[in-house]
Amino acid sequence: MDQKRGADKFRSIARKVKMGKKLERVMKGDRGGTTSATSQETDVDNNKTPEPYNCVGDFEADYLELCKRAGLTEIPQVTQRPHRPEPPPPPDPKCATPLSRKETPCKSSHSSRMEKVEEPTTPTPGDPEEAPPTTYTTSNKFDYFRPKVQVELEKPEDRKSMTEIYIRGWKVDQRYMDVFRLCLPAADKLHTIDLWNVGLTDNTLAQFSAVASQCLNLRTVKLDGNPVPGEGFHQLIGEDSMIVSMSLRSCKISDKGAELIGKALSTVKTRNQSLCVLNLNSNLITDVGACHLSNGLRMNRTLLILSVANNAIGDEGAKQLGEVLSRFALTHEEIVERRKLISEKGTPDIRISPIPKRSESRDRPVSQSSRSQLDKSTAKSGRSSSKAKKKDDKGKGKDDKKKDAQRGVSKESVAKTTKGKGRQSGGKKGPAAGTITTEPETPEVQEIINPLLEEAESINGELFIPGNRVLINLNISRNKIGEAGLKALLKGIQYQITLTMLGSRSSGTGLMRLSLQKNGFPPDHDLYMKIQELMVTRDPLYKPPAKSPDEDSISQTTGV
């Protein structure tokens, strides 16, 4: 019996052990299944693309969020552009105290006494410390050289009022340009972008030009110190560009880049109508590039200021510039385009022909119905005229009495209407009769006339038109211009002055400032001195020298 009981116990224990092992296996399987499920979920979450970010117009917030999404580890800080502190206000003369002066012993023989000298007072431990100076700010070590994005805010408290952005001295690669491509167009008030020495490439320059076209209020672009191998700066000043001022100093622009810029300024069929200031200082432009730029000035009537200082322009380039300023002969392509424009301008008058009236046509006689209608209309007009005559005779006496009383009022009303350019409104829903409403004066927008449509002059079988008189400031200093170039420039200036004196119809006032210093001629050259004499009176900032009292008295006596 004991043996049977022991066997039964052993079997029950063995069953429990087996059941426990099965439970452990099941539990392990469940755990493995849950872990595998969680791992799959995490993989799915990682594979999901994040939702696109919509810029809100706050440049700093948009910039930081886009940089984080792009995975940038080093994000340049956005700071406000520092300014010079304002000068302290002048001291109030009422509150001013005489300054302490160090007195020196009197050297006169009569008085040998020494005056008192005020010694500087040493600060005591109990005195309050002076406030730190406000003319400068201190920063941590090397903080000045860290990359930053400096911005100008129209209102310091409004972070969405960014108007200018400055990036200086750190490389803006494709990753940062992708960020700017999204956040810059959202800044509605942005009008100036300054990227100095940021290492632009052909790809980043093309992308920046696309970004600039999306910024609706962008007017000033400065890309100084960015030599680009392809020299594709002309992409920024296309026909539809809204940029007004562009600076490309020290960009190593050669004659190839000057040719592209000249074609962007104007061709026979296209021209830029927004750029007013172009700075090409300190580049590699020679006579060939200057000729390309002068070709761009032939049909351009928008550019006001051009600077090509510190280049390698010689006499040939100066001759081309002088020819564009005076007058130039049209090429065959320009003559063909001129004829097309003249024909298109005259086609509306040619195509529209007067429609002959039935009563005036000789081929077809007037029908019976038309005659009857004419007879009825003449009869009606006769009746109305006879009635009007009777009424006029009856009211003639009353009108004569009222005329004298109304003369003064009518004169005053006419004067008011002529001064205010108004009109009397007698409509049904408008103001009462006799009231004068002045119309708002709208500013007249001056239409830019195509230079090919200006008055032409035929000389020796060639067709000449007046040159560019819209350009008012030309800087060609620090080049290689000699005597031949000076002659061409002097001829162009003299031609512009004669046109101004004769009252030419061509638009523009001509050059008002010409910079020629530090070229290949001495400062006392006769032609250079003559050009200076002509230009000094045309300079709008010129102030004649003040006369001495003797000259004033002489002029008063002589009347000169």
Side-chain angles (χ1 to χ4, degrees):
M1 293 293 292
D2 296 333
Q3 290 179 356
K4 289 182 179 180
R5 290 177 180 174
D8 295 336
K9 288 181 180 180
F10 179 76
R11 288 173 185 171
S12 63
I13 293 169
R15 288 174 184 173
K16 290 179 181 180
V17 170
K18 289 180 180 180
M19 290 297 292
K21 289 181 178 180
K22 288 181 180 179
L23 288 171
E24 288 180 1
R25 290 174 184 174
V26 172
M27 293 296 293
K28 287 181 180 179
D30 293 341
R31 291 172 183 172
T34 54
T35 54
S36 62
T38 54
S39 63
Q40 289 177 1
E41 289 177 359
T42 53
D43 293 339
V44 170
D45 293 338
N46 293 330
N47 292 331
K48 284 184 179 178
T49 56
E51 295 181 359
Y53 178 75
N54 295 324
C55 296
V56 296
D58 184 353
F59 174 75
E60 185 174 358
D62 296 339
Y63 168 74
L64 294 175
E65 181 63 27
L66 291 171
C67 286
K68 290 177 181 177
R69 290 181 174 231
L72 298 175
T73 56
E74 297 180 0
I75 302 176
Q77 184 182 2
V78 178
T79 60
Q80 290 193 22
R81 194 183 184 203
H83 294 279
R84 288 185 177 181
E86 296 181 357
D92 191 357
K94 297 180 180 179
C95 302
T97 57
L99 298 175
S100 60
R101 298 180 298 174
K102 289 187 178 181
E103 304 291 345
T104 55
C106 185
K107 295 183 180 179
S108 61
S109 58
H110 300 285
S111 62
S112 61
R113 57 191 178 89
M114 300 287 293
E115 295 185 357
K116 294 181 180 180
V117 178
E118 295 184 2
E119 296 180 357
T121 58
T122 57
T124 58
D127 294 340
E129 295 182 358
E130 294 183 358
T134 59
T135 55
Y136 63 89
T137 57
T138 58
S139 59
N140 296 329
K141 190 176 183 181
F142 302 122
D143 185 58
Y144 178 79
F145 300 100
R146 290 176 181 171
K148 294 183 181 65
V149 180
Q150 297 180 350
V151 296
E152 283 276 359
L153 300 178
E154 185 178 9
K155 299 178 181 178
E157 65 277 1
D158 186 7
R159 297 173 62 182
K160 293 185 179 181
S161 62
M162 184 185 71
T163 57
E164 304 176 16
I165 180 171
Y166 296 84
I167 299 177
R168 296 176 175 272
W170 56 275
K171 187 175 178 60
V172 178
D173 56 11
Q174 190 68 37
R175 301 173 300 167
Y176 291 102
M177 194 60 70
D178 291 336
V179 173
F180 293 141
R181 178 177 58 85
L182 297 175
C183 61
L184 285 181
D188 298 334
K189 298 183 179 180
L190 180 64
H191 59 73
T192 300
I193 297 179
D194 189 344
L195 306 179
W196 178 79
N197 193 16
V198 297
L200 292 178
T201 61
D202 292 330
N203 295 331
T204 53
L205 179 60
Q207 194 168 0
F208 175 74
S209 62
V211 173
S213 63
Q214 296 176 6
C215 299
L216 301 179
N217 293 321
L218 184 62
R219 296 295 179 267
T220 303
V221 173
K222 297 180 181 180
L223 302 178
D224 301 336
N226 289 286
V228 179
E231 303 183 18
F233 300 102
H234 65 285
Q235 303 173 48
L236 293 164
I237 53 173
E239 190 175 4
D240 299 330
S241 173
M242 297 300 294
I243 297 174
V244 177
S245 175
M246 188 168 70
S247 178
L248 301 173
R249 297 181 300 173
S250 303
C251 291
K252 295 184 179 180
I253 297 175
S254 62
D255 297 334
K256 174 186 174 183
E259 180 180 3
L260 296 174
I261 292 174
K263 290 180 179 179
L265 289 176
S266 74
T267 59
V268 177
K269 297 182 179 181
T270 62
R271 61 190 55 83
N272 179 280
Q273 297 184 2
S274 61
L275 188 68
C276 296
V277 180
L278 179 60
N279 192 343
L280 299 175
N281 288 1
S282 304
N283 285 288
L284 307 175
I285 301 174
T286 63
D287 288 336
V288 178
C291 293
H292 290 309
L293 291 175
S294 61
N295 290 334
L297 294 175
R298 289 168 71 95
M299 300 298 153
N300 184 284
R301 294 298 181 268
T302 310
L303 191 67
L304 300 176
I305 300 173
L306 175 62
S307 179
V308 287
N310 196 15
N311 281 275
I313 300 174
D315 290 335
E316 292 299 324
K319 287 180 182 178
Q320 290 293 326
L321 291 172
E323 181 181 352
V324 168
L325 294 176
S326 58
R327 62 181 177 180
F328 53 87
L330 297 178
T331 62
H332 175 71
E333 187 179 1
E334 291 171 346
I335 292 174
V336 172
E337 186 66 20
R338 173 184 168 88
R339 290 175 179 174
K340 286 182 181 179
L341 292 173
I342 293 174
S343 62
E344 290 175 359
K345 188 178 179 181
T347 46
D349 299 332
I350 297 171
R351 290 179 182 177
I352 298 174
S353 58
I355 300 173
K357 297 181 181 179
R358 291 185 176 182
S359 60
E360 295 176 359
S361 61
R362 298 177 182 177
D363 300 334
R364 185 173 179 270
V366 182
S367 61
Q368 187 70 24
S369 60
S370 62
R371 286 177 181 175
S372 61
Q373 289 177 359
L374 287 172
D375 296 338
K376 291 179 181 178
S377 61
T378 52
K380 288 181 180 179
S381 62
R383 293 173 186 173
S384 60
S385 60
S386 60
K387 290 180 181 179
K389 285 181 181 179
K390 291 179 181 179
K391 290 182 180 179
D392 291 340
D393 295 336
K394 290 181 180 179
K396 194 172 183 181
K398 297 180 180 179
D399 292 339
D400 292 338
K401 294 178 181 179
K402 292 181 181 179
K403 275 182 183 178
D404 298 332
Q406 290 180 352
R407 277 176 186 174
V409 179
S410 62
K411 288 180 181 180
E412 291 177 0
S413 63
V414 169
K416 289 180 181 178
T417 53
T418 53
K419 288 181 181 179
K421 295 182 180 180
R423 62 181 181 183
Q424 290 187 351
S425 60
K428 295 179 181 180
K429 297 183 180 180
T435 58
I436 299 170
T437 58
T438 58
E439 294 181 352
E441 295 183 1
T442 56
E444 296 182 359
V445 180
Q446 187 176 4
E447 185 181 356
I448 299 175
I449 302 174
N450 195 320
L452 291 175
L453 295 176
E454 293 183 359
E455 296 180 0
E457 184 179 0
S458 179
I459 301 174
N460 297 329
E462 292 183 337
L463 203 62
F464 285 80
I465 63 172
N468 190 327
R469 296 181 62 206
V470 177
L471 189 71
I472 60 175
N473 190 345
L474 178 61
N475 186 359
I476 48 178
S477 60
R478 301 192 300 278
N479 280 280
K480 300 178 181 179
I481 299 174
E483 184 176 353
L486 286 177
K487 288 181 180 179
L489 293 171
L490 178 61
K491 183 179 177 182
I493 295 168
Q494 290 175 342
Y495 184 81
Q496 287 188 349
I497 293 174
T498 54
L499 283 182
T500 305
M501 295 174 63
L502 295 174
S504 176
R505 295 181 182 178
S506 59
S507 60
T509 58
L511 273 182
M512 293 184 177
R513 182 176 293 178
L514 178 63
S515 300
L516 283 168
Q517 62 271 18
K518 296 184 180 179
N519 270 282
F521 51 84
D524 55 349
H525 196 279
D526 294 338
L527 295 175
Y528 177 65
M529 298 298 292
K530 194 170 184 179
I531 291 174
Q532 292 296 103
E533 291 176 0
L534 292 175
M535 295 303 300
V536 70
T537 56
R538 295 177 63 83
D539 191 344
L541 302 179
Y542 169 72
K543 293 182 180 180
K547 294 183 178 181
S548 61
D550 298 336
E551 293 178 351
D552 289 339
S553 60
I554 293 171
S555 61
Q556 289 177 1
T557 54
T558 57
V560 179

